[in-house]
Amino acid sequence: MVNFSLEGKVALVTGAAYGIGFAMAKALAEAGAKIAFNCRSQANMDKALADYKAEGIEAKGYICDATDEAGVKAMVEDIEKTLGPVDILVNNAGIIKRVPMHEMPSEEFRQVIDIDLVAPYICAKAVLPSMMERRHGKIINICSMMSELGRETVSAYAAAKGGLKMLTRNIASEYGEYNIQCNGIGPGYIATPQTAPLRERQPDGSRHPFDSFIVAKTPAARWGTPEDLMGPVVFLASEASDFINGHVLYVDGGILAYIGKQPK
Ligand code: NAP
Ligand code: GCO
């Protein structure tokens, strides 16, 4: 029988205070994993711990910036002491800044690269030695439509997410022989706080033009929800995907397959 169970596994989901990370952590917990997560803000942490508890999940939370190498190392060591070695790492923490590239301060460009690309490297590096020793592990990087496509104002984000796709392939290449699988999940347009500005009602009460654009551009004719990511992450975290490595699974309602409707 195909094994989707995560009983006895320890999962670290970065940036899982809410949004996609929270939904994925919930799914991993429902499949049997023990959950650790991090975020930067105490307020988000407090609310997240209450939300996990309300779902019956005893998640272990850490206030830790995923770009802080020493902090991440200490977090992973503490997880190992309290829950056990990390079997599943989901590099989910991420930000976006929507600024025309020619107007974007380089510090902002660097910050997006730091969080969306360097942090996944830092977190993967922190868990790999133990996974290599135990000769098994799952690393899942949360990529994006912008791992494949560009659009106005998201140059830093697209550069980071494009790099994250190749980092995923490189980790798969370098560590596959240790029975470590590294894959990506590429969500389409998902309704979370990160995309809230793109869905805001206009002053006249009409839908945001980008909202209408995305619904037209998506064969499923809807925004995705964080819950749409729950099955894919359990699949890639489980033994059911042990021979899948270096793959980015797009969970996008068909956007990448679709040229778009002919204008009326
Ligand atoms: P979100 O709603 O903005 O949530 C981001 C989470 O990451 C929050 O918990 C935030 O908490 C945490 N975070 C941000 N920077 C961090 C850092 N440096 N260290 C630790 N935690 C950090 O985002 P989302 O929409 O759920 O997206 C989650 C991931 O999916 C991101 O990588 C995003 O790029 C990707 N994605 C999103 C979509 C979408 O349409 N929403 C589509 C494709 C890919 P704190 O602020 O408290 O740290
Ligand atoms: C944007 C959106 C996208 C989504 C996601 C799509 O401004 O275009 O925020 O980047 O967040 O990454 O997959």
Side-chain angles (χ1 to χ4, degrees):
M1 193 175 83
V2 177
N3 186 8
F4 291 100
S5 168
L6 303 179
E7 284 300 333
K9 303 288 187 189
V10 174
L12 168 59
V13 185
T14 67
Y18 50 83
I20 289 172
F22 182 90
M24 293 193 296
K26 180 170 172 244
L28 297 172
E30 286 171 353
K34 286 182 270 185
I35 301 298
F37 73 101
N38 68 311
C39 64
R40 295 162 301 179
S41 123
Q42 186 62 54
N44 288 341
M45 174 60 68
D46 295 343
K47 181 170 182 321
L49 288 172
D51 291 344
Y52 280 112
K53 203 161 182 61
E55 297 286 349
I57 300 167
E58 287 302 320
K60 190 161 175 51
Y62 294 83
I63 299 288
C64 172
D65 189 314
T67 64
D68 169 8
E69 189 154 15
V72 166
K73 196 165 174 297
M75 171 174 67
V76 168
E77 284 166 2
D78 190 72
I79 293 170
E80 179 139 3
K81 275 197 219 115
T82 52
L83 298 178
V86 175
D87 301 295
I88 302 156
L89 168 66
V90 181
N91 277 313
N92 167 76
I95 65 165
I96 191 167
K97 288 185 181 296
R98 301 181 181 96
V99 180
M101 196 183 89
H102 67 287
E103 295 169 4
M104 183 179 245
S106 54
E107 310 77 69
E108 290 197 13
F109 190 96
R110 289 177 197 277
Q111 186 193 15
V112 174
I113 298 288
D114 211 19
I115 295 174
D116 294 7
L117 179 57
V118 179
Y121 147 78
I122 284 172
C123 295
K125 199 169 82 163
V127 300
L128 272 168
S130 172
M131 288 181 173
M132 292 162 74
E133 211 172 288
R134 289 176 292 124
R135 300 195 74 81
H136 79 83
K138 297 282 188 179
I139 297 173
I140 300 164
N141 295 323
I142 307 306
C143 298
S144 161
M145 295 289 94
M146 276 56 222
S147 297
E148 303 290 343
L149 303 169
R151 87 173 183 86
E152 302 77 7
T153 76
V154 296
S155 60
Y157 185 82
K161 294 297 188 180
L164 187 56
K165 174 176 74 171
M166 285 315 301
L167 179 65
T168 299
R169 290 181 178 166
N170 215 78
I171 293 171
S173 307
E174 193 162 5
Y175 298 98
E177 66 179 291
Y178 295 94
N179 186 33
I180 294 166
Q181 291 84 46
C182 182
N183 292 290
I185 289 177
Y189 279 83
I190 313 293
T192 71
Q194 193 238 50
T195 55
L198 306 175
R199 289 176 282 108
E200 264 161 15
R201 284 279 167 187
Q202 302 301 283
D204 65 1
S206 63
R207 293 174 73 162
H208 191 297
F210 197 87
D211 178 358
S212 309
F213 166 69
I214 287 301
V215 171
K217 190 84 175 82
T218 307
R222 66 173 175 89
W223 283 74
T225 67
E227 290 68 30
D228 287 318
L229 283 306
M230 294 174 80
V233 75
V234 170
F235 168 58
L236 289 179
S238 74
E239 290 174 10
S241 59
D242 277 1
F243 202 55
I244 296 175
N245 207 9
H247 182 76
V248 178
L249 176 58
Y250 286 101
V251 184
D252 67 355
I255 291 182
L256 286 178
Y258 186 36
I259 195 169
K261 276 186 181 54
Q262 176 181 329
K264 285 192 179 70

